Amino acid sequence: MEIAQPRDLERYLSLAKRTHGELCRQKRIFNARNRIIGGDTDAWDAQVHDQKIKEATEKARHETFAAEMRQNDKITCILEGRERRDRKSLCKAINDFQQTFQKPETRREFDLSDPLALRKDLPARQSDNDIRNTVSGMQKFMGEDLNFHERKKFQEEQNREWSLQQQRERESARAHQRCAEDLYFKTRLQFDETAKHLQSLESATRKAVCAAVKEFNRNQATESVERKTREKKQEQEDDLAEISNLLRGDPARENPKQAPYCQLGGGAVVVSRLSPLQRLREEECQRDRDWDRQRVQRARSTLLLERQQKRQQRDLRRALDCANLSLAKEQRSQKKYMEEVCTNQPTEDYFTQFNTGSR
């Protein structure tokens, strides 16, 4: 590390002074606003003072001119207003004089320039029978009479009434048709309910018949079983009786008086041996008669049921035919009514003829 000597410090101090002096000199030379080297500051101050006095004088003169201009503008406005009032008063006086002493009606040629001449004049024709409406005047043509608008309005009202009447008739026809359709649907539903009820009755009858037939068959089977049991029991009893008779009777004891045929040759049959067979035959005949009676009763009940079903079907068919006939009559009447309504509608040719006749 070097140690600063007093001689070095003096040299540094002198160098710094020269640098500061150079900076101050550059500031004085290169600053154009503060540079006073080679110039007359007193003259410059005098010129600045004169310039300020001149500017103040110009400003005062301009303000004086502005005040004079404002005063002149006020005077001009006052004069113009007075002139307008005078002109208006003059025009009013001239108009009053003309209205009082120079009316247009007092002129000789007023009838040539009257603005209300056409309004005061009579129209081209006052009526359809005006004597001034000659052929050459061409004031009246076909369909251009004075009542044309009233007649046209009346025709429009009449057409409107016809249209409303047709609309009401259409709505009435639609309402009748809806009522007929509702009645038809209700009748169909009623017929369906009746058919359903008859079908249920028929099924119930069939079920009852089937149940009766089953019960009858069951009873017959029971009776057949009981009859076979009785027959078997009777047969066993008859066999036992016959065996007992054979063992205990006269033939087994070799009684010559009880032979099957008389020894005298009369040819008579022994009654004791024929009675069990006859009884069996009578029971078999009675059984056959019971079977025949039951078969006849069953056939009769079946025939009665078939007749009742046929009668119910015939009544149902007759009711359906009557309902269909009434619906057909109502539909024909509605169709006839709609055709009459369509036929009675006014056409365009009729309107044309009516208008031509009115003209």
Side-chain angles (χ1 to χ4, degrees), residues 10 16 19 33 80 103 120 137 142-143 151 170 206 225 233 272 274 320 335 340:
E10 292 178 359
T19 302
R33 182 179 296 276
E80 287 180 355
K103 293 182 179 181
K120 294 178 182 179
M142 186 67 67
R151 189 180 70 255
R170 288 197 204 93
R206 288 180 179 176
V225 172
K233 185 177 180 181
S272 61
L274 295 177
L320 288 173
K335 185 177 181 182
E340 290 178 357

Side-chain angles (χ1 to χ4, degrees), residues 6 24 33 58 100 124 139 142 144 159 169-170 180 190 225-226 243 248 266 272 276 281 289 314:
C24 292
R33 182 179 296 276
E58 290 292 332
T100 305
Q139 294 296 324
M142 186 67 67
E144 295 183 357
N159 293 337
E169 290 177 356
R170 288 197 204 93
Q190 186 176 2
V225 172
E226 291 177 355
I243 293 170
R248 297 177 184 180
S272 61
R281 291 193 187 95
R289 285 194 297 270
R314 185 169 59 253

Side-chain angles (χ1 to χ4, degrees), residues 184 320-336:
Y184 175 74
L320 288 173
D321 293 338
C322 292
N324 293 330
L325 182 60
S326 62
L327 289 176
K329 288 182 180 179
E330 189 173 357
Q331 289 178 358
R332 282 198 298 272
S333 62
Q334 288 182 359
K335 185 177 181 182
K336 185 177 179 181

Side-chain angles (χ1 to χ4, degrees), residues 6-61:
R7 186 176 51 189
D8 296 331
L9 294 175
E10 292 178 359
R11 188 171 58 252
Y12 290 150
L13 181 60
S14 62
L15 182 60
K17 288 181 179 180
R18 284 199 301 271
T19 302
H20 182 266
E22 184 66 22
L23 291 175
C24 292
R25 189 179 66 83
Q26 289 179 1
K27 185 176 181 180
R28 291 193 303 272
I29 294 173
F30 295 108
N31 190 352
R33 182 179 296 276
N34 298 324
R35 189 176 57 186
I36 58 175
I37 298 174
D40 191 358
T41 58
D42 296 333
W44 291 346
D45 294 336
Q47 290 178 0
V48 170
H49 183 67
D50 294 338
Q51 185 69 27
K52 289 182 179 179
I53 293 173
K54 186 177 179 180
E55 289 177 357
T57 304
E58 290 292 332
K59 183 177 181 182
R61 188 165 65 86

